[in-house]
Amino acid sequence: MLSRSKRNRLISAGIVISLAVLAAVWWGVSTFNSRPPPLTAAGLDPGMSSAPIRVGATGPRAQGAGDVAAVGSVAVLGVVRDAATGASLAGVEVVFYQSTAETTATTGSDGRYGLDVAPGRYDVRAHGERLYAVPVPVIVGDVGTVVVDLEAQRLARIAGFVVDARGGGIAGAEVTLSGARHARGFAVDDGEPRAVTDARGAFSLLALPGEVYLAAVATDGRLGAAHLPAVAPGAEVTDVLVAALPTAELTGVVVDPDGHPVAGATITAAVRVRDAARPMVTTAASDGRGAFRFTGLPGGRLRLEARADGYGAAAPATFELHVGEAGRAVRLRLAATRPVTGRVVDADGQPVADASVTASQRRSYVGAISTTSDRDGRFRLDGLGDGTYRITAEKEGFAAAAAEQVAAPAELELALTAPASIEGTVTAAGAPVRDFTVDLVRWVPAGSKRPRSGAGGPMRFVAEDGHYVRAPVAPGTYDIVVSAVGHAPARRTASR
């Protein structure tokens, strides 16, 4: 038996260890539910984003996580800051937007704002001269007062000229921003992130600060590019020259599987060039003899693809195109159409009508082929050629289904499942953490060729009880990373 002194020492050590463990940030065991929490309570707008910030308590469990009772009004306070400097921004309009109404306030000299809203679901936006703020989805519960702070970036203005090899201005050229940061575009109050050059070849547009890529397409098909490595927030960058790139000429013919010319085919040329964030893409159409011609292609690594109604896509032609080259002729042979057919069903094997079914290929620039399932869940994708495709089926209310590395022709059954949810509670030293961020990353085995993918990206929660719900997510295994100011990040892997 242990002596009393030794037993007391062991008890004391156990208490110290327990307190140390409780001091770390941890969250309750996350669980997957077969269906996402329904957003059915009064005051919620079902048309908004499915990845909201959660503000307030979750309410009685019988309601389901995410249900919020519309009772009274909630005071919202916050501050709008410059994303680069942290300085407060005065005169910014803050909008809590719903599809049927909106509530607005304007920040004061200290960047602070205040307004009252009914509990519900909102898109929070900030508008100001030459400012861009990512819209923030928010669910406001009946919690009395909540704080929603926003950050806005000061946009830079980029002005310059699109010029030819002799320095002369090119009128009517379209100048756009390219690269991952501008890939989806962004809306601003006093301009669009694209411009058309005037008679002198001049342009002016707004851009996010940081690394900026400009791409220009002239009316005659000539392409130009420029790269600005570092643009400061709010900068006025002038006299930027976007030079039309030295070109090559390329001709060719599109034929059917038997070698007969095909009119009306679409030929896509994608060229990798210096100073461009991504391949520069242009298109041409074949004439009545199946012939096509590109006259303004820059030199670089070229990928040619062709597609026409009633045929499978031609096998792509890839080669190095040299500046000044004019004698090369390319023959693109369309394939006999190889359909992918099948059914879209639910988890019980019942047909799912009106699901969107899409076939896509990696490294292709001609776009995906899509169709819709009929009332029996049947679908048919035509126009597929050589190589393998990723076939996906999607419909609102279901987790997407996908079949990888599908070679046409093929018959598939794509089963849509009810989306799962991940929920849990974040605590520190036994007390709920009110403000935290939850990030989900789809787990894949080490060495897998399939890349890790996110599930909507990081999401901020402000919840009195530290509870969170991420929904909908596709069933599977996820790495869950929780972070909060003043605490070390915590990580857990969860699956069905």
Side-chain angles (χ1 to χ4, degrees):
M1 296 181 60
L2 295 176
S3 67
R4 177 177 298 179
S5 59
K6 183 175 293 186
R7 187 164 57 249
N8 289 340
R9 285 196 301 271
L10 289 175
I11 293 172
S12 298
I15 292 173
V16 171
I17 292 172
S18 298
L19 291 174
V21 170
L22 288 172
V25 175
W26 61 280
W27 66 95
V29 175
S30 299
T31 60
F32 279 85
N33 298 321
S34 61
R35 297 186 181 275
L39 299 177
T40 57
L44 293 180
D45 181 1
M48 303 302 293
S49 166
S50 62
I53 290 175
R54 175 90 195 154
V55 180
T58 59
R61 296 305 301 168
Q63 289 181 269
D67 287 346
V68 179
V71 179
S73 63
V74 179
V76 180
L77 305 174
V79 60
V80 181
R81 293 188 175 88
D82 187 307
T85 66
S88 58
L89 297 175
V92 177
E93 183 184 39
V94 178
V95 181
F96 275 63
Y97 173 83
Q98 288 182 315
S99 60
T100 57
E102 60 183 42
T103 304
T104 65
T106 302
T107 60
S109 59
D110 58 356
R112 297 186 180 278
Y113 73 93
L115 48 77
D116 293 332
V117 298
R121 189 165 184 156
Y122 296 88
D123 225 11
V124 183
R125 306 170 183 178
H127 301 280
E129 184 178 0
R130 285 181 60 172
L131 292 176
Y132 174 70
V134 176
V136 179
V138 176
I139 292 179
V140 177
D142 186 20
V143 293
T145 302
V146 297
V147 176
V148 179
D149 293 337
L150 302 170
E151 286 190 339
Q153 299 188 73
R154 293 188 180 276
L155 297 173
R157 184 172 294 280
I158 313 294
F161 299 86
V162 178
V163 298
D164 58 23
R166 297 181 179 181
I170 300 176
E174 184 180 53
V175 183
T176 58
L177 301 167
S178 64
R181 296 171 62 249
H182 295 102
R184 296 186 179 179
F186 59 97
V188 293
D189 294 334
D190 57 350
E192 291 292 330
R194 63 180 61 244
V196 176
T197 58
D198 62 17
R200 301 177 299 122
F203 70 89
S204 176
L205 49 71
L206 297 174
L208 294 170
E211 190 174 31
V212 174
Y213 289 92
L214 298 171
V217 181
T219 55
D220 61 3
R222 284 178 293 174
L223 304 175
H227 176 215
L228 306 176
V231 174
E236 294 283 347
V237 183
T238 59
D239 297 327
V240 175
L241 294 182
V242 182
L245 298 166
T247 62
E249 182 176 314
L250 181 68
T251 61
V253 64
V254 179
V255 299
D256 66 17
D258 297 323
H260 301 122
V262 176
T266 299
I267 303 92
T268 302
V271 191
R272 291 190 175 276
V273 299
R274 182 181 177 183
D275 288 337
R278 58 186 61 206
M280 306 188 75
V281 180
T282 187
T283 61
S286 60
D287 62 18
R289 298 177 294 110
F292 64 89
R293 183 183 183 190
F294 291 98
T295 58
L297 291 177
R301 189 68 177 170
L302 175 70
R303 179 185 174 98
L304 277 181
E305 299 177 80
R307 180 181 290 172
D309 291 341
Y311 298 95
T318 304
F319 52 88
E320 197 72 27
L321 184 66
H322 301 287
V323 171
E325 187 174 338
R328 188 190 297 259
V330 179
R331 186 180 180 90
L332 297 174
R333 183 183 296 272
L334 297 170
T337 185
R338 300 186 182 99
V340 169
T341 57
R343 295 176 70 228
V344 181
V345 299
D346 62 18
D348 298 322
Q350 297 302 306
V352 177
D354 299 322
S356 175
V357 185
T358 302
S360 59
Q361 280 185 306
R362 294 186 61 189
R363 294 185 294 275
S364 176
Y365 298 94
V366 297
I369 297 175
S370 298
T371 190
T372 303
S373 62
D374 64 19
R375 65 180 182 179
D376 297 319
R378 298 290 307 176
F379 67 88
R380 180 186 176 97
L381 292 163
D382 286 308
L384 306 185
D386 296 330
T388 59
Y389 292 80
R390 184 174 194 262
I391 313 296
T392 59
E394 297 178 297
K395 185 173 182 178
E396 186 176 357
F398 294 90
E404 307 285 350
Q405 303 293 310
V406 177
E411 173 76 15
L412 303 175
E413 182 172 277
L414 299 172
L416 299 178
T417 57
S421 64
I422 298 177
E423 63 179 299
T425 302
V426 180
T427 63
V433 176
R434 186 178 188 272
D435 195 334
F436 55 92
T437 298
V438 178
D439 192 10
L440 302 180
V441 179
R442 189 76 176 265
W443 182 88
V444 296
S448 172
K449 294 183 179 179
R450 186 159 56 91
R452 289 163 61 90
S453 59
M459 187 188 302
R460 180 187 162 207
F461 292 78
V462 185
E464 297 289 355
D465 58 359
H467 188 79
Y468 68 88
V469 178
R470 291 293 304 263
V473 297
T477 301
Y478 291 85
D479 284 338
I480 309 171
V481 180
V482 175
S483 58
V485 175
H487 302 278
R491 181 185 299 268
R492 173 168 294 179
T493 299
S495 61
R496 291 184 66 90

